[in-house]
Amino acid sequence: MSLNVESTPLTAVLAPPPLRLIDDTGQAVAESESGGFTLPAVDTLLGLYRQMVIARRFDVQVTALTRQGRLATYPSALGQEACEIAAVAALAPQDWLFPTYRDSIALLTRGVEPKDILASFRGDWHSGYDYHQHRIAPQATPLATQALHAVGLATAAKLKRDNTVALTLLGDGATSEGDAHEAFNFAAVWQAPVVFLVQNNQFAISVPLDKQMACRTIADKAIGYGMPGYYVDGNDVAAMYAVVSAAMDRARRGDGPTLIEGLTYRIEAHTNSDDPTRYRKAADVDLWRSRDPIERLEKYLVAQGALTEGVRASILAAAEELAATTRDCMTEQAVVDPLELFEHVYSTPRTALAEQRAFLAAELAGDALASAVATEKSTR
């Protein structure tokens, strides 16, 4: 049987303009263009601006530490601050966040200490923070696995009749995974109180979006699952905050999940081991730099009289203080006990694991003894 199938070449379908509340020039859009969403209060926007500035300074500092060899790797979120900060700001204290490996600034904004965020990137722990304290799941490296976990937690919350909502962050590449499809489908069928926020930074490592899917937008996929979908300017923190907040409220009311696509751009490389010049043009990066989410909001706040030089200086001072704290914690030598590998595997220890632990403990004790003998000989 022949497997050759004649097909009509795909014709590119242009995406509609993304929903926005503040345009590239820092001006509020007309009400007719707002998609029914209201521009957040100036005080709220000033708080979001502060968090974005601090988050960017952290991101730039960590990237520099990685280049100095103090961390094994780090995936920068430079340029994606509006998506992440808006998402965290929309969370209530009891809500859960399910992040990816690129969402370190979301953890920072949620209150996780820099040393705990960076523990995994330095190789100290798989995840260095207390999940229940911060209500943040481990940063997921496998694509889209955390989306299913979010649906599971949200469904459990619904069954318990509490008011917890799960918000999961995804990249555009993750939506091409089977786990994402299963999460979207289960969430819609079960009407789980979960919000899916896709940060479409336009490259799944080196694969552009048009090589992953033929639909206009990722948000268009929502209708196929039976849930609302929103295509939002991911560099407009005002729009992102308004849409994510509405989706969280909808989920909390018991009206089910929402899929939100934030159109943004990854300014830095995928990680420090990536060479983005091999698959994208410098002109495209420059174009998206001109759409900087922080500068856009800054123009609006200055025009509103909310961002004075004094306020700006205070925010920059806080950002530099955090950068110094981050540098200091990365100069400290981590104290790691290899036997901790066995402490959080099973609630009830297994015989085989106990034997492995005993073997490693004996080996470590032998190494310590040999080192002590060598030291004693060298001092004679």
Side-chain angles (χ1 to χ4, degrees):
M1 177 185 295
S2 173
L3 296 179
N4 295 324
V5 178
E6 184 177 352
S7 59
T8 304
L10 291 173
T11 302
V13 180
L14 295 178
L19 187 155
R20 58 171 56 174
L21 298 178
I22 299 176
D23 65 21
D24 291 344
T25 66
Q27 302 290 318
V29 303
E31 187 175 343
S32 60
E33 302 175 41
S34 66
F37 291 92
T38 303
L39 189 66
V42 171
D43 286 348
T44 299
L45 293 175
L46 184 60
L48 294 170
Y49 173 81
R50 182 181 190 278
Q51 291 172 324
M52 285 200 296
V53 170
I54 291 174
R56 174 167 294 182
R57 183 66 187 92
F58 170 80
D59 192 276
V60 169
Q61 181 62 76
V62 177
T63 297
L65 291 170
T66 306
R67 288 169 178 161
Q68 294 167 13
R70 298 201 222 176
L71 290 95
T73 187
Y74 180 70
S76 170
L78 187 69
Q80 299 181 210
E81 294 89 356
C83 288
E84 302 206 15
I85 275 44
V88 173
L91 294 172
Q94 74 273 15
D95 295 332
W96 274 80
L97 176 67
F98 288 78
T100 74
Y101 55 86
R102 194 175 300 283
D103 302 321
S104 295
I105 61 172
L107 274 64
L108 179 76
T109 307
R110 185 74 165 159
V112 183
E113 293 293 328
K115 64 180 178 62
D116 296 331
I117 296 172
L118 300 176
S120 59
F121 296 114
R122 193 162 71 160
D124 299 340
W125 277 79
H126 168 61
S127 188
Y129 54 91
D130 186 319
Y131 314 132
H132 290 278
Q133 176 189 351
H134 299 287
R135 301 183 86 78
I136 303 175
Q139 288 182 268
T141 300
L143 299 186
T145 55
Q146 81 282 4
L148 282 167
H149 302 160
V151 175
L153 184 139
T155 302
K158 180 180 179 180
L159 293 173
K160 291 168 63 178
R161 291 184 171 84
D162 69 25
N163 63 349
T164 297
V165 177
L167 187 150
T168 182
L169 301 176
L170 299 159
D172 52 288
T175 65
S176 298
E177 295 286 333
D179 282 4
H181 159 72
E182 293 165 5
F184 297 158
N185 192 56
F186 278 128
V189 171
W190 294 338
Q191 288 293 279
V194 61
V195 175
F196 302 101
L197 174 52
V198 179
Q199 298 181 78
N200 176 8
N201 65 22
Q202 305 181 54
F203 286 95
I205 304 183
S206 59
V207 181
L209 192 66
D210 61 2
K211 300 298 183 184
Q212 299 180 59
M213 56 196 72
C215 53
R216 298 184 312 166
T217 69
I218 295 170
D220 281 349
K221 296 183 177 184
I223 192 170
Y225 294 103
M227 60 178 161
Y230 293 95
Y231 181 54
V232 187
D233 185 336
N235 283 17
D236 177 7
V237 73
M240 288 301 306
Y241 177 74
V243 175
V244 175
S245 296
M248 296 292 289
D249 290 342
R250 180 178 182 276
R252 212 178 304 282
R253 290 194 305 268
D255 294 334
T258 302
L259 175 63
I260 302 169
E261 175 185 358
L263 179 64
T264 184
Y265 198 82
R266 167 171 53 81
I267 298 297
E268 288 281 1
H270 177 71
T271 67
N272 53 297
S273 61
D274 175 40
D275 179 9
T277 63
R278 298 180 62 185
Y279 56 83
R280 66 184 191 184
K281 300 175 182 178
D284 292 338
V285 180
D286 291 340
L287 173 63
W288 279 92
R289 283 188 187 277
S290 70
R291 299 172 177 172
D292 186 275
I294 296 178
E295 292 180 6
R296 180 190 304 195
L297 182 57
E298 185 174 289
K299 292 174 184 175
Y300 177 81
L301 292 172
V302 168
Q304 296 296 312
L307 185 60
T308 63
E309 286 305 315
V311 172
R312 191 201 310 268
S314 173
I315 293 172
L316 292 175
E320 288 303 323
E321 183 178 350
L322 177 71
T325 299
T326 303
R327 290 193 301 271
D328 291 343
C329 74
M330 287 297 99
T331 59
E332 298 173 1
Q333 184 64 40
V335 179
V336 180
D337 180 3
L339 295 178
E340 287 179 343
L341 285 169
F342 303 92
E343 290 184 5
H344 305 288
V345 181
Y346 297 106
S347 58
T348 303
R350 301 295 197 269
T351 301
L353 200 66
E355 292 173 350
Q356 293 172 33
R357 186 187 188 283
F359 179 85
L360 178 58
E363 192 172 73
L364 292 172
D367 289 344
L369 177 60
S371 177
V373 170
T375 301
E376 183 180 353
K377 288 182 178 178
S378 67
T379 57
R380 289 178 181 173

